[in-house]
DNA sequence: ACGATTTGACCATC
DNA sequence: GATGGTCAAATCGT
């Protein structure tokens, strides 16, 4: 099977990149901590938060590696408890299933087929879906520094539902891989804005991508535009920072209605928070993490604005 | 015209 | 029966 080979290569690549990401973050954190302990250096650090973010990055990377290992080998490895921001959760079944085998009977976007087989198919798939690896990440949107947290989501997602969740102030949005029908990719994701901290979004991933949509190397070499991001809508957003800022400045207008709830109020700065575009350039080309529009309190949200953030703003 | 999003309805699970 | 997850028709945006 060619697909399986591809998947193995993909897995290996992902593992490598996750491990090196984690390692990198760990080194940075180590440097920070050692510097911080010396009294002379006062505050060359942005904030304590940054350590937190680095920590999240480390944990996220290693946890994902563990999940992947779990998932391609048996018996499953016992994961560390979820006491941290990035919480990998192995589904209760804990049955590893190789990505290649996840692809069951294709059900191309349910074009309406006969209900009998349709139902059975549905049940089959939902049962199968439960077996998929699952983990959560937290991402904070900070006016000062943009998006913080594990930022490795470069996949394109398509929203397929939204639901009010009991006890939660904000609705949960459901996304699945855009390439579900074309590449039989069953990765899904849930986005839930945190009650306690509206600037934090909980991303729950289920299943990993089996599609070939520009598997994200940690530091991707410049690729052809359409290869870099499979989502046409967004390639237009991923332009040079200055151009981007300019276009945003001119095109964004006020939109504050509906933000009456105190919890919904973001303290946007008057100046663009994205000072370091160089670091986010490629990694933020995802529909979800492309928060380059998070620039101004008066944003008339661009269509390319990450969908889950777009919606959440209005709540 | 086509792909993405919205949203009410449906289904499974607890 | 309540809740979370998904479907799919309608709608929207390009």
């Amino acid at each position: 099977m060619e697909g399986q080979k591809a998947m193995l290569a993909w897995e290996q690549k992902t593992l490598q990149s996750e491990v090196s990401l984690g390692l990198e973050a760990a080194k940075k954190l180590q440097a920070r901590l050692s510097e911080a302990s010396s009294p002379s250096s006062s505050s060359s650090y942005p904030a304590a938060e940054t350590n937190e973010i680095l920590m999240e990055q480390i944990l996220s990377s290693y946890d994902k590696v563990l999940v992947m290992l779990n998932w391609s080998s048996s018996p499953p490895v016992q994961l560390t408890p979820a006491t941290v921001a990035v919480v990998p959760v192995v589904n209760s079944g804990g049955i590893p299933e190789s990505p290649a085998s996840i692809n069951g009977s294709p059900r191309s976007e349910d074009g309406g087929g006969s209900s009998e087989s349709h139902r059975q198919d549905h049940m089959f798939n939902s049962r199968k879906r439960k077996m998929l690896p699952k983990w959560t990440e937290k991402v904070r949107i900070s006016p000062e520094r943009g998006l913080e947290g594990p930022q490795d989501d470069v996949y394109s997602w398509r929203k397929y539902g939204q639901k009010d969740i009991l006890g939660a102030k904000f609705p949960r949005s459901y996304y699945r891989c855009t390439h579900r029908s074309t590449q039989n990719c069953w990765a899904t994701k849930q986005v839930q804005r945190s009650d306690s901290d509206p600037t934090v979004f909980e991303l729950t991933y289920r299943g990993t991508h089996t599609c070939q949509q520009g598997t994200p190397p940690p530091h991707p070499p410049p690729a052809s535009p359409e290869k870099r991001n499979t989502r046409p809508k967004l390639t237009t957003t991923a332009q040079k920072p200055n151009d981007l800022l300019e276009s945003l400045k001119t095109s964004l207008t006020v939109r504050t209605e509906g933000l009456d709830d105190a919890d919904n109020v973001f303290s946007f700065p008057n100046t663009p928070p994205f000072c370091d575009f160089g670091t986010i350039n490629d990694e933020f080309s995802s529909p979800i993490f492309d928060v380059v529009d998070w620039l101004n309190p008066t944003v008339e949200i661009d269509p390319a604005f990450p969908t889950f953030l777009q919606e959440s703003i209005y709540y």
Side-chain angles (χ1 to χ4, degrees):
Chain A
M1 276 262 189
E2 246 168 274
Q4 284 200 342
K5 258 188 202 168
M7 271 314 303
L8 286 175
W10 176 83
E11 274 183 60
Q12 193 176 348
K13 256 194 167 177
T14 310
L15 285 172
Q16 280 174 351
S17 80
E18 285 300 335
V19 169
S20 40
L21 271 179
L23 189 63
E24 211 171 297
K27 282 180 183 169
K28 281 185 199 163
L29 185 59
Q30 188 187 33
R32 282 176 176 280
L33 291 176
S34 61
E35 264 192 71
S37 60
S38 76
S40 55
S41 62
S42 52
S43 65
S44 51
Y45 313 102
E49 246 177 315
T50 311
N51 292 343
E52 200 179 298
I53 297 307
L54 285 170
M55 204 61 217
E56 283 183 16
Q57 173 71 69
I58 296 166
L59 291 166
S60 163
S61 295
Y62 287 131
D63 283 335
K64 270 189 258 177
V65 168
L66 284 177
V67 166
M68 288 190 74
L69 288 174
N70 245 353
W71 171 69
S72 50
S73 69
S74 55
V77 181
Q78 190 58 46
L79 292 174
T80 51
T83 53
V84 292
V86 179
V87 187
V89 182
V90 173
N91 42 319
S92 49
I95 314 286
E97 190 170 5
S98 96
S101 70
I102 288 169
N103 309 341
S105 56
R107 188 170 140 248
S108 55
E109 208 54 28
D110 319 270
S114 69
S115 47
E116 248 345 280
S117 60
H118 167 259
R119 280 281 157 239
Q120 285 183 352
D121 222 15
H122 173 230
M123 284 168 61
F124 176 64
N125 281 327
S126 57
R127 200 172 306 145
K128 209 166 35 171
R129 234 162 288 161
K130 283 189 178 174
M131 312 292 276
L132 298 176
K134 175 181 161 188
W135 68 95
T136 67
E137 293 178 355
K138 286 187 183 175
V139 170
R140 170 175 288 126
I141 306 299
S142 148
E144 287 78 25
R145 287 196 305 283
L147 195 138
E148 303 170 3
Q151 296 137 20
D152 47 5
D153 192 328
V154 300
Y155 296 101
S156 49
W157 299 94
R158 174 174 176 164
K159 188 174 183 177
Y160 66 87
Q162 178 171 306
K163 194 88 180 159
D164 285 320
I165 300 301
L166 193 75
K169 286 180 193 162
F170 308 105
R172 178 177 299 163
S173 298
Y174 300 88
Y175 297 83
R176 64 182 167 218
C177 178
T178 306
H179 304 95
R180 167 178 283 194
S181 52
T182 56
Q183 297 185 37
N184 208 20
C185 176
W186 287 90
T188 63
K189 154 155 110 178
Q190 299 175 3
V191 176
Q192 173 80 61
R193 191 165 165 187
S194 168
D195 280 345
S196 47
D197 185 354
T199 64
V200 171
F201 292 83
E202 273 185 42
L203 311 179
T204 302
Y205 296 89
R206 191 167 295 163
T208 47
H209 286 268
T210 60
C211 58
Q212 308 290 322
Q213 49 172 309
T215 305
H219 303 292
S224 63
E226 76 270 22
K227 184 67 187 161
R228 240 189 55 194
N229 191 330
T230 53
R231 191 171 181 182
K233 212 205 245 174
L234 291 160
T235 50
T236 59
T237 322
Q239 42 189 291
K240 279 185 298 175
N242 287 341
D243 296 346
L244 185 70
L245 284 174
E246 281 313 308
S247 66
L248 283 168
K249 273 184 200 164
T250 54
S251 64
L252 302 182
T253 55
V254 179
R255 178 73 159 268
T256 54
E257 68 265 26
L259 294 180
D260 45 311
D261 188 329
D263 288 327
N264 288 325
V265 177
F266 285 81
S267 53
F268 291 93
N270 287 326
T271 52
F274 285 84
C275 308
D276 190 8
F277 275 94
T279 63
I280 61 172
N281 238 4
D282 282 324
E283 305 183 11
F284 279 79
S285 56
S286 141
I288 302 304
F289 293 118
D290 190 356
V291 287
V292 288
D293 301 311
W294 201 271
L295 296 171
N296 197 305
T298 60
V299 175
E300 171 82 41
I301 297 189
D302 188 281
F305 192 84
T307 44
F308 80 88
L309 297 174
Q310 262 184 50
E311 298 145 23
S312 306
I313 287 177
Y314 293 120
Y315 283 102

